[in-house]
Amino acid sequence: MSRGITRRTALGAIAAPALLGLPGVARADTRTLKISHQFPGSGPDGGDFRDRLCRKLAEGVEQRSNGALKFEIYPNSSLMKTFAQFDALKKGALDLSLYPTTYAGGEIPELNITFMPAVISSYEQAYRWKTAPIGKELSAILEAKGVKIVTWMWQSGGIATRGKPIVRPEDAKGLKIRGGSREMDMMFKAAGATTANMPSNELYIAMQTGAVDAAVTSSSSLVSFKLEELSKYLTSASGQSFFFVFEPLLMSKQTFDSLPAEQQKIILKVGESLEPFGREGSMADDKTLSEVYAKAGVAVKEMDKESMDLWRKVASESAWKDFSERSKDTARFLQMAEAV
């Protein structure tokens, strides 16, 4: 990821939408779709790859539809607040969003499996979900709620701390940590921490003010939101990691169903073609994360297998147990996840 963008740009000062389209006069039958997400904007000199993924979708669909479909892209939750985006997708008030599905876990408990600590241990395992029974059921649940997966994407992540490093469960004791999901929070509480709930685009202020001692989020967000400026230690994603989160590009089913069949096919084809870009971007940011933090003078730690096994034990006795006991459906989803 390029570090050439300014802090102002990186934190989403591009509040106005980016209008992507073919040159010339707009067609009379042109339809403009809105894409909203919580991540920083990007530009010609680089930036958050998740925003670039959205722009690549827009460019590809516009070209293949001969300009019949155009897009407005709103980074940094500049169109609507982060947590409001899922409901807007369901109602057709928003067309597309690159959105962590765990944010909708309060409404759809099964989605909490998409950010369950220590269930997934590699990108290879994560991407197998797409064609496995669990992936097909997740797609069906989302579509029943009015939301369609356009691009599958997973991210790994790490832990930035203002004080001592967090590598083993006992390191979390007494700290206030932003885990990022109900289940992640349960694991940290079981390790003796307290937790705070907020979207990743609010982490800089929370770290700056001391509202949290540590932030657990994706490698891309740890870089894009410049948390190295506030951190003394980083537990990177380069070693073992209990952090894998599903952040797909989602589309309102109302919007999708209102399009001609040919345009639907174009969106799905372009969306699927971007999955290698998403995976490569995630893995590149895992590497960039350690480099950026080390350059900023942050002490970088890695989690070894022994530490990972300790976290898995804490997670299985807290978050996994709670999830499996919530209902027959959640128990079945955990079984399906462990089978992949």
Side-chain angles (χ1 to χ4, degrees):
M1 178 183 296
S2 170
R3 299 288 289 176
I5 54 177
T6 64
R7 173 172 176 73
R8 178 176 175 82
T9 302
L11 293 180
I14 313 171
L19 301 178
L20 299 174
L22 299 174
V25 179
R27 297 169 32 157
D29 59 346
T30 293
R31 182 169 176 182
T32 301
L33 305 181
K34 291 181 171 62
I35 306 177
S36 174
H37 63 77
Q38 74 190 69
F39 308 108
S42 61
D45 55 351
D48 195 297
F49 86 90
R50 294 165 295 193
D51 183 70
R52 288 189 283 130
L53 186 147
C54 293
R55 294 173 191 277
K56 283 180 173 290
L57 178 97
E59 292 165 0
V61 172
E62 286 176 16
Q63 290 172 2
R64 296 193 188 196
S65 69
N66 295 317
L69 291 175
K70 294 182 180 293
F71 296 82
E72 295 176 355
I73 300 175
Y74 297 81
N76 204 44
S77 299
S78 55
L79 179 65
M80 61 182 67
K81 291 184 178 180
T82 302
F83 291 144
Q85 293 178 61
F86 189 79
D87 197 50
L89 287 172
K90 292 192 307 175
K91 295 177 179 177
L94 175 64
D95 301 308
L96 295 106
S97 177
L98 198 153
Y99 191 82
T101 51
T102 186
Y103 285 178
E107 176 186 351
I108 310 170
E110 292 86 351
L111 292 183
N112 287 305
I113 197 68
T114 63
F115 192 24
M116 182 68 67
V119 163
I120 290 176
S121 58
S122 69
Y123 284 104
E124 289 74 17
Q125 180 186 7
Y127 278 93
R128 287 201 297 268
W129 279 33
K130 182 178 179 180
T131 55
I134 189 170
K136 294 175 181 178
E137 291 218 27
L138 284 171
S139 295
I141 286 175
L142 285 166
E143 292 208 20
K145 289 290 185 178
V147 179
K148 190 172 187 67
I149 299 174
V150 172
T151 304
W152 281 70
M153 191 178 76
W154 290 86
Q155 289 198 275
S156 188
I159 311 170
T161 62
R162 299 170 71 243
K164 66 178 184 177
I166 300 175
V167 178
R168 298 163 71 93
E170 59 263 31
D171 298 333
K173 188 174 182 179
L175 300 182
K176 189 165 187 178
I177 302 174
R178 183 271 188 181
S181 74
R182 179 179 184 275
E183 280 66 29
M184 194 70 73
D185 286 350
M186 290 190 71
M187 180 184 73
F188 283 117
K189 287 176 182 177
T194 57
T195 59
N197 182 34
M198 66 195 70
S200 57
N201 58 322
E202 296 178 12
L203 284 174
Y204 191 93
I205 296 298
M207 289 275 282
Q208 187 178 49
T209 60
V212 297
D213 301 304
V216 182
T217 190
S218 67
S219 296
S220 301
S221 290
L222 285 167
V223 173
S224 287
F225 294 120
K226 297 184 178 292
L227 299 187
E228 77 276 7
E229 297 177 356
L230 307 168
S231 303
K232 290 184 179 179
Y233 292 94
L234 169 76
T235 305
S236 77
S238 299
Q240 298 280 315
S241 179
F242 54 66
F243 184 110
F244 279 89
V245 60
F246 188 42
E247 290 186 348
L249 183 58
L250 302 174
M251 186 169 187
S252 166
K253 199 163 184 305
Q254 282 191 38
T255 301
F256 183 83
D257 290 345
S258 71
L259 298 175
E262 186 58 33
Q263 292 181 4
Q264 292 178 348
K265 290 178 184 177
I266 289 171
I267 288 172
L268 293 179
K269 189 169 184 177
V270 174
E272 185 173 24
S273 74
L274 290 172
E275 288 173 3
F277 174 82
R279 180 170 176 171
E280 290 163 10
S282 299
M283 296 177 72
D285 280 357
D286 290 344
K287 183 173 183 290
T288 299
L289 172 65
S290 296
E291 297 170 353
V292 167
Y293 277 65
K295 186 176 180 181
V298 178
V300 178
K301 306 289 185 180
E302 289 188 1
M303 191 177 296
D304 58 19
K305 185 179 185 304
E306 181 183 358
S307 298
M308 178 63 181
D309 289 343
L310 291 173
W311 282 111
R312 184 179 288 109
K313 184 175 188 298
V314 175
S316 66
E317 293 173 353
S318 56
W320 295 15
K321 184 175 184 293
D322 176 82
F323 182 78
S324 65
E325 291 177 350
R326 294 184 74 182
S327 72
K328 290 181 179 179
D329 287 333
T330 55
R332 187 167 53 85
F333 266 74
L334 182 59
Q335 291 173 354
M336 285 192 291
E338 291 184 89
V340 177

